[in-house]
Amino acid sequence: MTMSLQFECPVNLTAENFIVKLGHELDTQPASRHSSCTTYYDSFDWRLYSNDISCEFNQTKPSSSLTLRSIKSGAAIADAALKKVPVFSKEFDPGITRDILAPLLEMRALLPVCVVNYQTYHINIINKDEKTIARLLLEEYGEFNNRVLLQPIRGYDKAAEQIVEILTATLGLTAADKPVLLSALQVQGRKPKDYSSKLNINLDPDMRADIAGKYIYSHLLKAVKANEQGTIADTDSEFLHDFRVAVRRTRAGLSQIKGILPANIGAYYADFFSWLGQITGPTRDLDVYLLNFERYKSSLPDSIREDLNPLYDFLLVKQQKAQKELAKKLQSPKYLTTLAEWEQYLKEPSYQKPLEQNAKLTIKELADRRIWKTFNRVLEEGNAITDLSPSEALHDLRKSCKKLRYLMEFFQSLYPEQQIKCLIKNLKGLQEVLGDFQDYAVQEHNLKLFSEEMMALNTHANTFLAMGVLVQDLDAHRCLARQDFASKFEDFKQQENRSAFQLLFAPSKPHRRQH
């Protein structure tokens, strides 16, 4: 029997008192005591916690190790002796820890979430013959209740049951029902999953449209600010990605949720967020090439894969330069002042009698109108595309799909959950193929530009050959995506999907008034 049993001490029971009281009930051997420190790690968006894993780095005087455990059961899933915690999963030694972390974290950095310092006492419980029949670990925390971990010893099951009885009935301990991590976060005034890149905005359908709009923008501003420092520090590539998504959503809101803000204000901030989109673009593009690099290599024949490596070094230098420039701009007066003004504007109370044409509508009325109109634009643009249409036509359709998607996500809470989720999913299928088509075209174009720049660096001819093969491969994928588009769009414009959109969003016919 190797089960661990965890208990929480009553609020006022100090470690000293516990040891004394335990000594009255059982024969104990003096406790050894040492200082411990546990640092909990997760990605910024809580990928491990969301998958029932807590990642703890335990440091005591002689040794340090990393343990992954199930949050629900507290059981250890993997252990690794480590001096320090790597930032990315790919930096772990091959083994079970890396196998668990890599698919969950992907490109995200492991960051310290909180640090807990405590004293650990080891207590042996012995019988008449001075044989150890159980071990207790007492953890003494400063800021929340102490804990006791019972480690039964094989063959002494009966004794373990009696000890549990004494701990609970006599000493007043209770079964620990939540991990230490939660108590430690609580002390900091935080809770797990306090950041997610998913949009989750709860709107009241009767809310006035201008007030709801500000509420949406405030939500997006929070995401911009949450990702700002990680973007400047280049902690991992997802900070910039999430930063850009929040900026893009804000731009979509300013252009699509029309007629609720004064025109001059809307235009001023639309300009600012457009600038933010531009200055963050180059770094993100290079991040994507670096993230895709292994995939690029594996698409090439074995014999020329390694010839592509100089491209990686070239991209990395470019990325670091673009990153430095971006960091400078995100610390500039233009950025800081305008963002602070936007925040201030969103906090100001709305006018009682707004002048803008749509401000007085309820948000549900405006949402219906905008989504229905944008959906019809998507159908119109898609229907106009033939095999002979230029790729710009697909690019424009992609932008319209994005706007529709953002509108549906902003207003998701106003509609029946299953229905809107299903419609968003159908739209995603169309968006994916349009996104692939666009990405392959852009990557192809940029690789040609890169090879021109690399000419000047005396790069070996074999690298250009490998890049040429890669461009051909991307071109083949682009053609496939183009072919795939027609069937995906057919699916999207099917009667069933059109009726579902109509049912949720189409304005109902006004009734004629009786005179």
Side-chain angles (χ1 to χ4, degrees):
M1 185 166 79
T2 53
M3 58 167 185
S4 298
L5 296 166
Q6 287 212 40
F7 300 94
E8 198 172 314
C9 296
V11 179
N12 45 10
L13 186 60
T14 62
E16 250 170 282
N17 284 350
F18 172 80
I19 293 169
V20 170
K21 286 183 170 179
L22 187 69
H24 294 325
E25 305 295 331
L26 293 158
D27 290 335
T28 59
Q29 266 180 345
S32 70
R33 166 183 172 180
H34 59 255
S35 301
S36 304
C37 171
T38 296
T39 309
Y40 290 90
Y41 282 82
D42 206 330
S43 65
F44 185 67
D45 53 1
W46 299 93
R47 293 185 178 193
L48 300 182
Y49 191 93
S50 304
N51 284 283
D52 184 47
I53 291 176
S54 88
C55 170
E56 37 195 81
F57 183 53
N58 300 305
Q59 293 164 288
T60 55
K61 259 288 166 359
S63 66
S64 59
S65 68
L66 184 92
T67 304
L68 302 180
R69 43 175 100 251
S70 155
I71 291 166
K72 281 195 196 76
S73 70
I77 308 166
D79 260 314
L82 285 176
K83 289 270 178 287
K84 65 190 255 282
V85 180
V87 180
F88 294 101
S89 53
K90 60 171 189 261
E91 296 163 3
F92 279 82
D93 290 334
I96 182 160
T97 304
R98 184 164 93 177
D99 292 345
I100 293 170
L101 293 177
L104 296 177
L105 290 171
E106 297 177 301
M107 72 298 281
R108 291 238 76 156
L110 258 188
L111 304 171
V113 175
C114 63
V115 181
V116 182
N117 290 298
Y118 55 100
Q119 300 291 322
T120 307
Y121 299 80
H122 290 265
I123 307 165
N124 289 340
I125 294 172
I126 52 178
N127 64 8
K128 299 274 184 292
D129 311 330
E130 303 209 350
K131 279 210 168 81
T132 301
I133 54 173
R135 294 191 176 88
L136 283 185
L137 234 66
L138 167 62
E139 295 173 346
E140 182 182 28
Y141 300 101
E143 308 198 274
F144 41 88
N145 299 355
N146 299 336
R147 294 198 167 207
V148 172
L149 188 66
L150 168 63
Q151 296 168 327
I153 287 177
R154 197 182 290 265
Y156 292 103
D157 300 7
K158 211 76 206 116
E161 285 168 26
Q162 286 163 348
I163 295 165
V164 170
E165 180 65 19
I166 289 168
L167 292 176
T168 52
T170 315
L171 301 181
L173 276 63
T174 50
D177 59 349
K178 61 174 186 185
V180 173
L181 170 61
L182 289 184
S183 306
L185 284 169
Q186 214 168 356
V187 171
Q188 291 182 22
R190 285 187 69 184
K191 50 180 193 290
K193 302 209 235 184
D194 53 12
Y195 172 79
S196 160
S197 60
K198 289 196 171 63
L199 260 194
N200 185 11
I201 305 175
N202 278 314
L203 298 171
D204 177 341
D206 298 327
M207 225 177 187
R208 221 174 67 186
D210 57 341
I211 296 172
K214 282 180 143 186
Y215 184 72
I216 292 169
Y217 296 134
S218 304
H219 187 95
L220 295 170
L221 176 62
K222 239 171 73 184
V224 167
K225 290 174 69 169
N227 287 289
E228 191 178 80
Q229 290 315 309
T231 296
I232 290 170
D234 198 14
T235 307
D236 68 37
S237 58
E238 286 300 280
F239 282 99
L240 174 57
H241 173 260
D242 286 3
F243 183 93
R244 274 176 62 78
V245 169
V247 166
R248 255 204 320 268
R249 283 173 169 155
T250 304
R251 289 177 65 191
L254 289 168
S255 77
Q256 296 306 303
I257 311 174
K258 292 191 161 91
I260 58 169
L261 301 184
N264 59 336
I265 296 220
Y268 177 73
Y269 289 110
D271 255 10
F272 169 67
F273 282 102
S274 163
W275 172 73
L276 271 186
Q278 282 158 8
I279 65 167
T280 51
T283 311
R284 175 61 191 165
D285 290 343
L286 290 158
D287 282 349
V288 171
Y289 294 126
L290 292 168
L291 289 169
N292 281 342
F293 197 77
E294 283 309 311
R295 224 178 53 225
Y296 289 157
K297 270 175 80 165
S298 63
S299 74
L300 299 177
D302 270 358
S303 54
I304 61 170
R305 280 182 190 174
E306 298 313 307
D307 295 334
L308 204 58
N309 291 340
L311 173 62
Y312 188 88
D313 304 330
F314 169 80
L315 291 169
L316 192 59
V317 171
K318 240 176 136 54
Q319 190 273 349
Q320 287 164 346
K321 192 172 160 233
Q323 170 63 35
K324 273 205 183 71
E325 284 176 21
L326 172 59
K328 248 200 340 249
K329 287 174 183 154
L330 291 184
Q331 291 161 301
S332 68
K334 171 173 181 172
Y335 172 75
L336 295 168
T337 326
T338 317
L339 202 71
E341 289 168 1
W342 176 234
E343 182 165 20
Q344 194 42 50
Y345 172 72
L346 294 176
K347 282 182 181 156
E348 284 164 16
S350 299
Y351 294 119
Q352 295 248 275
K353 294 204 168 114
L355 301 170
E356 286 61 51
Q357 61 193 34
N358 291 338
K360 294 196 207 53
L361 292 174
T362 69
I363 193 58
K364 174 77 165 67
E365 290 171 315
L366 186 59
D368 285 347
R369 276 184 205 183
R370 294 304 312 157
I371 292 174
W372 183 238
K373 189 167 179 180
T374 312
F375 170 66
N376 283 303
R377 183 186 322 139
V378 166
L379 288 182
E380 203 177 307
E381 288 179 3
N383 278 323
I385 293 175
T386 66
D387 292 346
L388 302 172
S389 302
S391 38
E392 284 75 56
L394 279 89
H395 184 42
D396 289 340
L397 175 61
R398 174 174 177 247
K399 286 197 257 188
S400 300
C401 287
K402 226 170 207 174
K403 286 169 184 163
L404 177 59
R405 166 89 170 271
Y406 288 152
L407 285 171
M408 289 167 77
E409 288 177 341
F410 290 153
F411 302 127
Q412 207 166 334
S413 63
L414 302 173
Y415 301 97
E417 190 181 359
Q418 278 328 99
Q419 285 162 283
I420 185 117
K421 276 212 164 105
C422 183
L423 292 179
I424 290 175
K425 196 174 149 213
N426 294 344
L427 176 59
K428 261 188 195 167
L430 177 58
Q431 270 188 299
E432 266 164 25
V433 69
L434 288 166
D436 287 347
F437 177 74
Q438 171 71 6
D439 291 346
Y440 291 131
V442 171
Q443 289 172 35
E444 215 180 306
H445 173 73
N446 284 342
L447 279 169
K448 289 173 184 165
L449 294 180
F450 295 153
S451 55
E452 283 165 27
E453 285 180 53
M454 289 166 76
M455 292 274 182
L457 302 171
N458 294 328
T459 310
H460 198 285
N462 289 354
T463 297
F464 295 119
L465 290 171
M467 286 170 73
V469 176
L470 180 57
V471 167
Q472 280 175 328
D473 182 69
L474 290 167
D475 193 55
H477 276 94
R478 184 180 63 90
C479 294
L480 285 173
R482 172 88 198 222
Q483 286 162 18
D484 206 13
F485 161 72
S487 71
K488 279 286 191 296
F489 185 69
E490 273 308 314
D491 289 348
F492 184 73
K493 68 172 197 187
Q494 273 189 352
Q495 187 55 49
E496 196 184 341
N497 198 37
R498 292 213 311 269
S499 305
F501 264 92
Q502 190 163 7
L503 197 67
L504 276 197
F505 309 111
S508 46
K509 301 275 181 289
H511 294 295
R512 299 187 59 175
R513 286 218 187 108
Q514 300 287 314
H515 285 295

